[in-house]
Amino acid sequence: MYKYLILLCLIATPALGQIGHEIEKIEVRGNEKTRVEIIHQVLPIKVGDNLREGDIDRCRIVLERLLLFRTAFVNVKPGAEKGKAILVVYVQEKRFGDLGVSLEYSELDGFGASTNAHYANLRGEGKLVGVEYGLGERFKYWGFHYSDPLFLKTNQAFHIQVTGSSADRDIFRNPDPDIRGRYDLERIGFAMGFGQPSPLRAYHFVLKYAFEAIQIGDFQHPPIPTGGGIFANEIKAAVGRETLSTLSFNLFKQPVSAIWGQGTDFNARLTLSSKLLGSVANYIKLRTELYRHQQVTAGHILSLGVKTGGVWGNPPFYERFYLDGDNQLRGIERRVIGPEGGTLFVAAEALYAIDLKTLGRVYAFAESGGVHRSVNGNDRRDADFAFGVGMLLFNRVDISFGISTGTLIVKSHRFAGVKIGL
Amino acid sequence: MARFFIIHTLTVCLFANVQPALAQHIPQDSLYIFVQSDTLRLDATIDSLFSKRTIDAIESGMTTSIAVQFRLRTGRGDNLGQSSLLRRLEHDIWEGQYRLIRQSARPDTQITSHFEDIRHACSELRGIALAQLPFPDEPITLQMRIDVNPISPEQRERTRQWLKIIEKGSFLEFFFSLDRSASPEWVDLFRFRPSALPHLLDE
């Protein structure tokens, strides 16, 4: 029966807003614990504004981003006078929040499982509290977070989080453990930030302060030397506990790459670490990312992207840039380029992707990456290039094969999971 | 002369009335089961078909699916017949117009500007065919389930994607989201013996 019922509902079309009408009232329906003023405050249009094209979608998106509602629906109906309209907002609240469990894999951390839960709408004010935990072959983490999307009744978001992680890391990339060596990198700390969550502006700005206690331990120097002694000694010298205290400025444009369409992604993060703040080292770190997704024909997208990074001062070794994790390339194994990390890095790629609807997408790519580091006055540069093909299965699992390198990479790591909205 | 007996006369023959208390329910005094031309039929009035939440959604302009199902079961659990009433309700709040579209062999659409007309059309069930006779003369239970669900355009789009997968009928979807409550359970509405049912004369 339900299949017929669903089919029956597919034919319907949503009502469209009447552009140009002045909003005389905002009517909120369906809310039981969420305060009406919270919804009014977060909406990008107010009473007295004229309805513009896209306003209804913007209202719905901002409500969905609050993570408080299972359903958010926005519509307009005629007002009491000609030329005026009433904005109608319907929400179905989550009774609890979300629970999530997923299995993960990454080139860096191997297989793992993670779980998270958050309670939505604390005191009816849109606040969220949540916990997360992950356990994997080479990485485990836990965290607690709290966020207020409308801090002190302003349109600024505030969040605070306490996190801890422990990672098993190789000193060198080699299948032989006597050449590879290893160490543990543990982090525990907290962060707090302020940000602008409104989708009215294309760009978002977040100011964040973070304090972390970092411990390097369980260091195992590789018994077989390979000419990388400086790096191993650098890690050995860092064994023990130290603190990082940083202030960061993050400017970004909401990513469009998650959806199948064209647009531009931008993200820039500037991090300042100072001994005046209690940090172990003085340094400035900047990482930028710019992608342009251009639709060539229906279902065909050309993406051009570049990532750059630089760190100046005396950063600890783990704050340098490595071509793994978020910087993982598609056709070159992690840390094959610049295994000791770089103070400067660049990675660029071009992807031509074809949409396979629910199955995901297939793509061809060409990429290049490189790092630079100065050691005892000598410049160390390392770069490479690859081309190949790949598939984004179910828009989740990103598997690519470098034809020029013969390397298979699983880039995205969340390969199975369930999310339950309660 | 009354054409058929009201259900109160049947209660003598009934083994039990097992209808639980539900938000959406059919009061005993509005339930009529009768036989007409070898077909078992039902008249009923559903109380509180639309919850406040559903009315809020409809008044916001969300499309709503309305499903009312009946089935007849023997004591051994055999299914003797099933009847489904499937409707879609659209509300154009800019035009102030409701459209009730009935899914059947010959779909029909009712257009009105009054929600009461919609409530009446969905709640007042007349001559619903349940099953063909003859039945075994053993206790039979009439069961019901009702599902009224507002469906947002985004939910429809997600469902459309799912249907494409189902229609292709093949590969496994790894990721899923349980963001709505499960389908409603069948509820026992009435138990009777076929021999005790009133027969409506053909006109």
Side-chain angles (χ1 to χ4, degrees):
Chain A
M1 175 187 80
Y2 290 95
K3 186 175 176 184
Y4 291 122
L5 196 61
I6 288 163
L7 279 169
L8 187 64
C9 292
L10 292 183
I11 310 159
T13 53
L16 295 174
Q18 300 298 314
I19 308 304
H21 284 70
E22 182 187 330
I23 300 297
E24 71 169 30
K25 183 183 171 189
I26 297 175
E27 194 175 292
V28 179
R29 291 173 171 269
N31 61 310
E32 291 174 357
K33 58 181 178 180
T34 310
R35 297 184 188 178
V36 170
E37 57 266 29
I38 297 293
I39 292 173
H40 281 192
Q41 196 168 356
V42 78
L43 289 175
I45 52 175
K46 310 293 178 197
V47 171
D49 291 350
N50 289 323
L51 197 67
R52 295 170 305 167
E53 193 172 348
D55 272 347
I56 296 214
D57 279 343
R58 279 189 282 274
C59 288
R60 178 181 54 77
I61 290 167
V62 79
L63 290 169
E64 287 176 348
R65 281 200 190 131
L66 290 175
L67 303 177
L68 308 179
F69 309 117
R70 296 165 74 181
T71 302
F73 183 79
V74 183
N75 208 340
V76 286
K77 65 182 182 183
E81 297 173 32
K82 192 177 179 185
K84 296 200 172 181
I86 297 170
L87 190 79
V88 182
V89 176
Y90 171 78
V91 292
Q92 187 188 354
E93 295 162 329
K94 290 175 182 170
R95 286 184 291 273
F96 172 80
D98 287 316
L99 288 174
V101 180
S102 63
L103 300 175
E104 303 174 345
Y105 173 80
S106 74
E107 294 287 320
L108 183 61
D109 299 318
F111 287 96
S114 71
T115 180
N116 62 74
H118 76 251
Y119 177 78
N121 217 352
L122 202 64
R123 296 173 59 198
E125 294 174 340
K127 299 179 174 78
L128 272 76
V129 288
V131 291
E132 58 183 340
Y133 179 74
L135 183 63
E137 285 181 299
R138 308 194 66 193
F139 186 62
K140 62 183 174 186
Y141 65 91
W142 56 267
F144 165 84
H145 64 88
Y146 164 85
S147 68
D148 182 352
L150 299 161
F151 184 59
L152 297 177
K153 297 188 176 178
T154 66
N155 206 20
Q156 303 296 315
F158 169 74
H159 76 264
I160 186 164
Q161 60 185 27
V162 180
T163 58
S165 68
S166 175
D168 174 10
R169 292 286 175 255
D170 300 330
I171 299 173
F172 304 109
R173 180 169 168 72
N174 194 293
D176 184 345
D178 286 339
I179 295 176
R180 196 165 59 220
R182 66 171 300 282
Y183 64 97
D184 281 348
L185 177 62
E186 294 182 9
R187 292 173 179 257
I188 183 167
F190 78 94
M192 52 193 286
F194 294 90
Q196 168 59 268
S198 169
L200 262 182
R201 298 180 179 90
Y203 287 87
H204 297 234
F205 180 74
V206 176
L207 172 65
K208 181 174 154 184
Y209 171 74
F211 183 87
E212 286 183 292
I214 296 182
Q215 178 153 341
I216 311 293
D218 204 10
F219 175 81
Q220 292 174 18
H221 199 289
I224 301 174
T226 54
I230 293 175
F231 185 53
N233 290 337
E234 187 183 13
I235 297 172
K236 185 177 181 181
V239 168
R241 185 182 292 270
E242 57 194 27
T243 56
L244 269 189
S245 178
T246 58
L247 200 57
S248 66
F249 307 88
N250 192 192
L251 179 68
F252 64 95
K253 190 169 181 288
Q254 282 296 330
V256 294
S257 53
I259 59 170
W260 188 249
Q262 63 179 29
T264 303
D265 293 345
F266 176 75
N267 194 330
R269 181 188 295 272
L270 178 69
T271 304
L272 307 175
S273 170
S274 170
K275 290 180 179 176
L276 294 174
L277 295 171
S279 197
V280 68
N282 293 324
Y283 66 89
I284 296 173
K285 186 177 182 180
L286 175 66
R287 187 183 188 280
T288 63
E289 191 172 326
L290 177 65
Y291 270 78
R292 174 65 193 173
H293 309 281
Q294 187 69 41
Q295 182 169 306
V296 180
T297 60
H300 291 230
I301 290 277
L302 175 66
S303 297
L304 301 172
V306 61
K307 297 174 188 172
T308 63
V311 55
W312 298 271
N314 298 297
F317 74 92
Y318 47 81
E319 286 296 295
R320 292 201 293 263
F321 296 100
Y322 298 85
L323 291 183
D324 61 12
D326 291 342
N327 301 327
Q328 175 70 53
L329 299 171
R330 297 178 189 277
I332 301 169
E333 288 207 49
R334 66 185 179 91
R335 290 180 65 193
V336 164
I337 301 171
E340 300 175 7
T343 50
L344 297 174
F345 102 98
V346 63
E349 67 176 350
L351 264 82
Y352 189 86
I354 300 170
D355 186 14
L356 298 180
K357 309 295 180 187
T358 51
L359 190 59
R361 63 189 78 166
V362 291
Y363 61 81
F365 70 90
E367 66 180 358
S368 181
V371 296
H372 168 271
R373 184 181 167 216
S374 183
V375 182
N376 298 329
N378 297 317
D379 286 343
R380 290 188 178 183
R381 289 193 176 88
D382 198 0
D384 206 349
F385 166 85
F387 64 89
V389 293
M391 182 172 193
L392 185 58
L393 195 61
F394 301 121
N395 293 319
R396 302 274 183 170
V397 185
D398 195 346
I399 304 169
S400 53
F401 178 71
I403 295 171
S404 60
T405 56
T407 302
L408 185 71
I409 298 288
V410 181
K411 191 172 160 73
S412 293
H413 62 270
R414 185 164 178 254
F415 66 89
V418 55
K419 182 184 174 192
I420 306 171
L422 299 173
Chain B
M1 172 183 168
R3 285 298 197 147
F4 42 76
F5 300 104
I6 61 172
I7 206 69
H8 287 148
T9 62
L10 279 174
T11 52
V12 179
C13 311
L14 294 173
F15 290 91
N17 182 337
V18 287
Q19 180 181 1
L22 284 176
Q24 299 155 322
H25 67 282
I26 296 177
Q28 283 185 40
D29 59 1
S30 76
L31 181 62
Y32 301 84
I33 305 174
F34 56 95
V35 178
Q36 184 181 39
S37 304
D38 290 338
T39 301
L40 190 64
R41 293 182 182 274
L42 171 142
D43 286 356
T45 302
I46 304 172
D47 249 15
S48 310
L49 179 63
F50 298 103
S51 66
K52 180 183 179 303
R53 181 179 74 83
T54 305
I55 292 172
D56 276 336
I58 292 168
E59 291 308 308
S60 304
M62 281 181 76
T63 297
T64 301
S65 67
I66 302 153
V68 180
Q69 268 193 307
F70 297 98
R71 74 176 180 189
L72 297 168
R73 308 270 282 182
T74 66
R76 296 187 302 275
D78 296 331
N79 202 356
L80 296 176
Q82 185 164 312
S83 178
S84 299
L85 299 169
L86 307 178
R87 295 184 176 97
R88 180 178 82 238
L89 175 60
E90 298 170 5
H91 183 199
D92 182 341
I93 64 172
W94 188 261
E95 299 294 336
Q97 196 174 70
Y98 299 90
R99 283 161 48 91
L100 181 65
I101 301 152
R102 181 174 176 174
Q103 170 75 12
S104 62
R106 284 191 296 176
D108 62 75
T109 302
Q110 178 182 348
I111 299 174
T112 177
S113 55
H114 302 289
F115 183 67
E116 278 311 308
D117 295 344
I118 298 297
R119 193 197 299 271
H120 185 267
C122 295
S123 303
E124 297 292 328
L125 310 179
R126 294 289 171 260
I128 305 300
L130 296 173
Q132 293 292 318
L133 292 177
F135 285 160
D137 194 25
E138 59 176 284
I140 292 172
T141 303
L142 173 66
Q143 295 182 316
M144 171 191 75
R145 68 176 175 184
I146 298 174
D147 195 18
V148 181
N149 263 307
I151 297 178
S152 67
E154 294 71 36
Q155 285 171 309
R156 275 206 308 275
E157 185 53 38
R158 283 199 294 272
T159 308
R160 198 192 303 269
Q161 302 271 354
W162 270 93
L163 282 178
K164 282 179 183 171
I165 293 170
I166 293 165
E167 282 164 9
K168 285 172 187 168
S170 53
F171 56 83
L172 176 67
E173 172 63 81
F174 288 94
F175 292 87
F176 55 95
S177 177
L178 304 176
D179 60 357
R180 54 159 291 178
S181 56
S183 300
E185 295 292 322
W186 286 99
V187 174
D188 288 352
L189 197 62
F190 229 86
R191 289 169 68 188
F192 58 91
R193 278 188 186 276
S195 57
L197 291 175
H199 286 247
L200 176 66
L201 299 175
D202 289 331
E203 295 189 0

